[in-house]
Structure formats: structure tokens, C-alpha cells
Amino acid sequence: MTTTAPAPAAARALNVSRTTATAARVLRQLRHDPRTIALLILIPCLMLVLLRYVFDGSPRTFDNIGASLLGIFPLITMFLVTSIATLRERTSGTLERLLAMPLGKADLIAGYALAFGTLAIIQSALATGLAVWFLGLDVTGSPWLLLLVALLDALLGTALGLFVSAFAASEFQAVQFMPAVIFPQLLLCGLFTPRDNMHPVLEAISNVLPMSYAVDGMNEVLKHTDMTATFVRDALIVAGCALLVLTLGAATLRRRTA
């Protein structure tokens, strides 16, 4: 009689119940970590308030860059928290114990994405509502479209954090990935100068960076009353990049830190 060996973790199909159980476990852990919740939920809002009053004498400047930063702030905070949280799972041995159970890498990554995605919804909703209805951010289009891009940016930050955590051996190294992954995108996304005014080489690089399309999508909402084809393209690119990075994260996830 022959027996079939169990499929390796990476090969198991995504299981909804395992994914939701993983997400619930992560959310329970975060509930007992008020500093992380404050970083995720409050810091983007506080940064927007600070930005609004930095440009108190020039509200038009706040309108021009506030929407872009509405998407960038959640991306940065989600990247930082997700990369460190996932690394802690591995260095503490939790990840190894989980993957020894009937839990595939895809289940684990999807569970983390679902948990942090839930927080991303709350974060993006609060930041967008604050910017539009309390700080007076003047947008031509629908605030719901701003919320959509902010949420996609936060999910992209989550995906990037999950991905880079596989290459870090400590929390300090996880933080060191921020200058390599986030800062170049921040400089080249068109926040400081239009991308078509950059050196052609830098413009070409910016064309393959997802944050560039996040900023472009926000600018579309600022300038147009209706949803444009360019906005749809930008939103789909950001969403596609998040999905691609999550897939890479599942493929590169390791049980232990080297």
C-alpha cells in the first residue's frame, strides 16, 4: 500500500478558513499592542494635521500635495509595521510552529494581508475623512476615490513589508530597508516636481515604481470631477503591484532567520 506525502507548505492551495484564522490571530495580538495601533491609525492623521498648519498661510499648497501624502503616509506606516511584525513571528519561532501545522505560506501571507488590510481600511478612512472634512482639502473629484487610492497604497505598503521581512535578520535590518524601498519612490513619484521634468533616466525609473501611479491617481481626483481612464489605470497598477508583491512574499517566506 502506497502513501502520499503531504504537499509542501508552498504548494498547498489557499484555504479560506486558515487564512481568516491567521488574520484573527494577528488582530488579537495587535489589540494588545497599543503603540502599534497608534502608529498605524493616528500617525498618518497627525502628519496631515501638521502638514495643514505648516502651510497655514498657503492653503493652495496643502491642496496640491495633501492628497498625494494622503496616500504616501499610509504606505510608509503599513510597510514599517508589517515588516517588523512578520519578522518577529519568524525570530520568535512562531512562524516555524505555524508552518509545521496544516498552514501553507499562501495562507499565512494572505492572513497577514487580511489583518493589516482591515487596519488599512480604518486608517485610510480616518485620514481621508480628516483631510477632506476637517482640514479643508479641496478636491474636484469624489472623496471616495481618494479613499480608494489611499487604501490601495496602504495595501501596497503591507505587501512590501511582508516581502522585505524575508530578507531581514533583525528588526533593525527591517527598518534599514525603508531607505532602499521607500525613499527612492518618494523622490521619484512626482511629489516634488512633475515626473516629465526629471532627467529622462529618472523619469524612466519612476515609470516602473508603484508610488508614482498612486500619486498620479490622487492628482486625477484633484483635477477631474469624474472617474477618468487614467485614474482607473493608475488604481489597477497599484493594486496589481500589491498582488504581485504578495505573491513574491509567499514564495520567499522562510521559517527561520538565517
Side-chain angles (χ1 to χ4, degrees), residues 136-155:
L137 180 66
D138 186 16
V139 294
T140 302
S142 170
W144 293 106
L145 297 181
L146 282 183
L147 175 59
L148 174 62
V149 180
L151 175 58
L152 290 176
D153 289 346
L155 293 175

Side-chain angles (χ1 to χ4, degrees), residues 24 99 103 110 134-135 148 166 172 174 208 246 248 255 257:
L99 292 179
L103 181 71
F134 291 93
L135 300 180
L148 174 62
F172 179 67
V208 299
L246 281 176
L248 293 174
R255 294 186 178 193
T257 300

Side-chain angles (χ1 to χ4, degrees), residues 29-104:
Q29 290 178 336
L30 289 174
R31 186 179 63 185
H32 299 293
D33 190 352
R35 287 178 295 183
T36 298
I37 293 177
L39 176 63
L40 287 172
I41 304 299
L42 298 180
I43 293 302
C45 294
L46 292 175
M47 292 297 98
L48 286 170
V49 171
L50 178 62
L51 183 71
R52 166 63 182 84
Y53 290 103
V54 164
F55 296 110
D56 190 44
S58 181
R60 194 64 208 167
T61 303
F62 175 70
D63 292 336
N64 290 335
I65 68 173
S68 297
L69 292 176
L70 184 60
I72 292 173
F73 286 155
L75 190 156
I76 293 175
T77 55
M78 295 304 294
F79 171 85
L80 183 62
V81 171
T82 306
S83 59
I84 293 176
T86 309
L87 181 64
R88 284 179 179 174
E89 293 277 78
R90 195 169 70 249
T91 56
S92 66
T94 302
L95 183 59
E96 185 172 14
R97 292 193 296 271
L98 289 171
L99 292 179
M101 301 167 60
L103 181 71

Side-chain angles (χ1 to χ4, degrees), residues 156-188:
L156 176 61
T158 298
L160 289 170
L162 289 169
F163 176 65
V164 303
S165 68
F167 305 99
S170 66
E171 293 181 15
F172 179 67
Q173 287 186 8
V175 174
Q176 286 179 316
F177 273 104
M178 181 173 287
V181 176
I182 300 297
F183 289 178
Q185 295 193 67
L186 187 62
L187 293 174
L188 299 176

Side-chain angles (χ1 to χ4, degrees), residues 85 193 201:
T193 186
V201 173

